Amino acid sequence: MGLLSILIFLPIVSGVLILALPKSLNTWYKYITLVACAMQLLLASYLYYAFKTGDGFAGVNQLSQYQYVENLSWIRLQLGSLGTLQIDYLLGVDGFSIALVWLSALVMLMATLSSWEIKTNLKGYFSLFLLLNASVIGVFCALDLFLFYVFYELMLLPLYFLIGMWGGVRREYASIKFFLYTLFGSVFMLLVIAGLYLSVTDPATGNHTFNMVHAMNPANYSNGAIFNLSSGAQIFGFPARLVGFIVVFVAFAIKVPVFPFHTWLPDAHVEAPTPISLILAGVLLKVGGYGIIRIAYGIFPEAAVSLSFWMGLIGVISIIYGAMNALAQRDMKRLVAYSSVSHMGFVLLGVASLTSEGINGAMMQMVSHGFLSVMLFFIVGVIYTRVHDRDIYNFRGLANHMPVFTGFVMVAFFASLGLPGFSAFIAEAFTLIGAFSSESLNGYVPRWMAVLGALGILLGAAYLLWTLQRMYFGKLRLKKEEWKQALTDVNARELTVLIPLAAFSLLLGIMPSLLFDVMQGSVNQFITLFK
Amino acid sequence: MITLQHFLLISAALFALGLYGVITRRNAIQILMGIELMINASILNMVAFSKFDRAENTGQVFGLFIIILAAVAVAVALVIIMNLYKRVQTIDPSKTKSLKG
Amino acid sequence: MEQYFTDSQLLYLALITITAPFLSFLFGQFFKKYAVLWGISSISISLVTSVLLFFSVWQNQVLHYSFSWIKLANIQINLGFLLNNLSVIMLVLVSFIALLVHIYSVEYIRKDALKYRYFSYLSLFCFAMLCVVMADNLFLLYAFWELVGFASYLLIGFWFTKRRAVHANKKAFVMNRVGDVGFLVGIMILLAQFGTVDLQTLFAENGLIHSSFVQNGLWVSPFRSMPSAWLTIAGVCFLLGAAGKSAQFPLHSWLPDAMQGPTAVSSLIHAATMVAAGVFLLLRISPLFNEAVLTLMASIGLLTAFMAASIALTQTDIKKVLAFSTISQLGFMVLAVGVQDNASAIFHLSTHAFFKCLLFLAAGMVIHQLHHVKEYTETKFDEQDMANMGGLFKRMPLTAVVFIIAALALAGLPFTSGFLSKDGILISVFDWAGHRGGLFWIFPLLVSITSWLTTFYIFRLIFKTFFGDFRLPNIINVRAEEMHLHDPNNWMKVPAVILAVCCLGLVFAINPLSLESSWLHHAFVQQAHENGLLHLLVPVYINVLSVVLIIAAYYIYAQGRITFSNQRTWYYQFSYQQWYFNWLYDKKLVALVLWKSKMAFWFDRYVIDGLVHFSAKAALFMSRLSDFCDRYLVDGAVNGIASIMSRFSVWFRSMQNGKLQHYFVWMLLLFLGFMIFKIII
């Protein structure tokens, strides 16, 4: 059993352990989860540390260059004249996924620490939580489309229950909306996956295969197959590969989310309990970005290129639109949710530019947003668990009342609005630089998009600083008198969440090469797909 | 002169009256009387039609035959009614719809 | 010049210069008791190293160290220092003034409970500002530029319980952000075009900017090309960035609001150093600008200078007057860069830093002492309003004297530093306009007017504050003797006196009447002014009228012999309301943006989410429909047959009800039916 499998199955085993323990030991559950997540993070850190970089380890469309690869035959069905149905248990990571695997492990640990606030039905909560954990890691490691899809759908199930059972007032609405939105995208994706299966053959065995790395190589497509580049097959009068790209893109765009597929996000975030918000913002959105890069762009490069103008446009609209919406919010959690839309728009813009800076910036933005949105949601959670209110106008002048907390709020806010020294600055600057130089280098994204995207940074400053001014500065004034006692400063457990996140964001802001070096080779290899 | 038609009309009226009695009465005796009226109507028909068979007088013979049968039937019916009354203390046929004794 | 230090030693010196304040920032947060000590000692260290660097580099060599930071396929961004004449003079300037302000602050902030934060933030500012000055590439410069803005944000909002202070710091940061977006776009343009943002590579004598050219509507660099419009756009973008930081039109209105911060901060950040960063940026990248951008820059500088001076005429808040004066003087510097007289711009930047800092410090002394009076007498009045002052010369003589020295420098009267530097700018503007002629003569005209306005407003301030009657006793009904109003102690006096010395022309030139003899100006001159008649006439005619205006101001404000009643007139209101920019920005523009964001949210809520809900409702409706079909049509048919059968059977059952007479009726009916059937057939 390889390291990646351990990474995936460690939480599952722990989950089963929790299910097996009697109810009387329910105080143990969170510690079991904590230990599992901590071990997972250690392992992921080791993987990241031991990850080899350089020319021979780029990955992307070279299966031999992936690292920590595990390949087991999973399902083999003789289908007579149709050949053999080949589904592999194929895991592996390259520069794109290793960063996200590590990020997921970190966010999961933070979310576990934040789960202390959960008081009801602990057994169900923690076992679902661990299931979610396993499936998220699985999504990032899977290199077989079928396996990927299994993990991808497996994520939805625990999330549905976690939001629907431990959520806020309108939790049923939010969880159903979330579930249906995502399912809507992924069901059609399944069709494309089936189409790919029928088109791609494994060069070694000659069987049809779900292997996504083989799907990136045009030579592996059988003649006349629907997704064969030269077959010219059409679906509803459109080129089949274009339709395939759009379907897959929409499936992941819903996850990212980009305008106009984003409206599940504010509701899901607002209703989800704090730890689940952390996971949603910190990891789940990245699944979308990862999927766009790996599957939509990786498998349908020429379709992606032909639509890159629209991709960039959607990205820019998301940036501006999300920021504008955030400016209009009174509910702090909703504000943070919309700011996620805005920040994830940068990812799309960067990817659409198909330049080294743009894609590196987009990946950096995903990781950075992983730290910062987790921090922001956690901050909202800190207030919410104390007084069960999130309305910005019900608070004022918290700075004197909760000085340490306000310090972290300022770090989180300024880091997310792109203060130099924090990761978001590097990420956004590089994304925009990439988008801008795209027209000179490859002509995919026009320059004005980068200029417009830069306005998102301005709006980001506006809504975050306005919130800071309204909630934290000025004289102390709260909606209810008794809140004064309830609003205590952050405790040790909360500090253990906030400090590492702030530290990592700072670290990546000062030494971005920690991440860039790891991704560099993969990004360059990725770009060659579009030449 | 009195034609066959007059006989038939009388007989029909008698029959109708009898039928009416049979259907509407709540008393088994009265129903019996209605039956008698109907029988009499048929006898009248027999006798009236017997003019077409002057040689053998089949109509008259049948008339006599029916009278005897009617008498017997009345006797039997009366016995049934008495038995009925003995068992259920009523001779209203609409109340004796149960097959149980 | 002799070389005292090896290159690596110089590198360490540069590192120490920036590390010291940074450590002080950290220590200040954690060892709160000694924050003052950390602050002052660190900036002293920086000053010492800056001076050493100055003597090693000045007119001698250019030091450029850089280390690889981020390396991607197409671009490389380094971390590094670039020390040339411009940076070392700025280094000394910043660390010197910062040290004086630190010392001054000890007294100014003495009673504040959060003193440690103040000094810590101040150190953060010094760190960032020194880095801005030394950064060797635009990306790094941008990073520290933002950090400077952040430190300014913290310091403006130092009294974060004051509603207006936190409003002001947000406004300052956001307006700076507008400029920063421009700056960032400029960086993107340069990176896309040249693949590097290294200042030396781009802007040195034989740098990439010089080897790129415009041809056939294309801007061609050795690597790539893009439409030539982007060259102009790049210039405008950087100009926008500089306008944000240096409070130029149209991004100027944050600076007056920023006066909500402590006065010492205003003097350091919003008068002497940070706001000059914009001009510094323009100087660093000046080879980039083409003719159109330069003209625009000159126009913006001119407009800003004139506008701010005209606003300063009517303000009643002592700090507001100084703030607008700062904006106006920065306008002069931008104008100087615009007319390509970089030497004068740098010179004016330096002299302005001293005298404007001093003006703020002296004003701070007045405010500080009046604040004491307020606490002492337990009364309420606005200690920054000039209506509450007057006649302070007798009570605070030293303050008044240093203030007047600085004011003379600001007005540009002979024997002061301001005379030299302003002279340079004026002559360049005259030259520049002379070469172009026509409408360009507006420039020297307006510049002269602005220069006179400057003299007038600053002496209006002096006479209202230090001369005439002391108005405060009548306002708060406390006798002047009971106020114990006097010059502050030495913590404040010493820095002020040192700065006052630096306002003298002798510090900058051996002959304090001749611009050419100034060492600072001389170091940057690319082409000397033509020794024409202008050179003699311009200073004379400016200064003669200035003196007249000073006398006029004396009669109006100190003696009260001449009075105006123009407060109702539109031009007075226009000036007093700061040309209605606050109204336009804070009320209209912000309201517009908020309205737009509300619309966006409405759109999100009702259109996008509405579509989602609509599709959900449509699906529900479809399912209801199919439910209806299932329930009433498909199932209905089955159930219908069954129910018909059961109806019939009920009916048939009624025949077998055991009632004798019913049987009769049935028999009859059947018989009749049979008969009728038979008859019909």
Side-chain angles (χ1 to χ4, degrees), chain A residues 173 177 262 325 338 474 510, chain C residues 69 160 177 601 604 609 613:
Chain A
Y173 168 77
K177 195 174 181 181
H262 64 278
N325 268 303
Y338 275 111
I510 294 171
Chain C
W69 184 34
F160 59 83
R177 260 288 156 108
F601 185 46
D604 204 56
D609 229 16
H613 286 161

Side-chain angles (χ1 to χ4, degrees), chain C residues 62 154 181 341 447 471:
Chain C
V62 174
L154 290 174
V181 168
D341 185 8
V447 157
R471 292 178 287 274

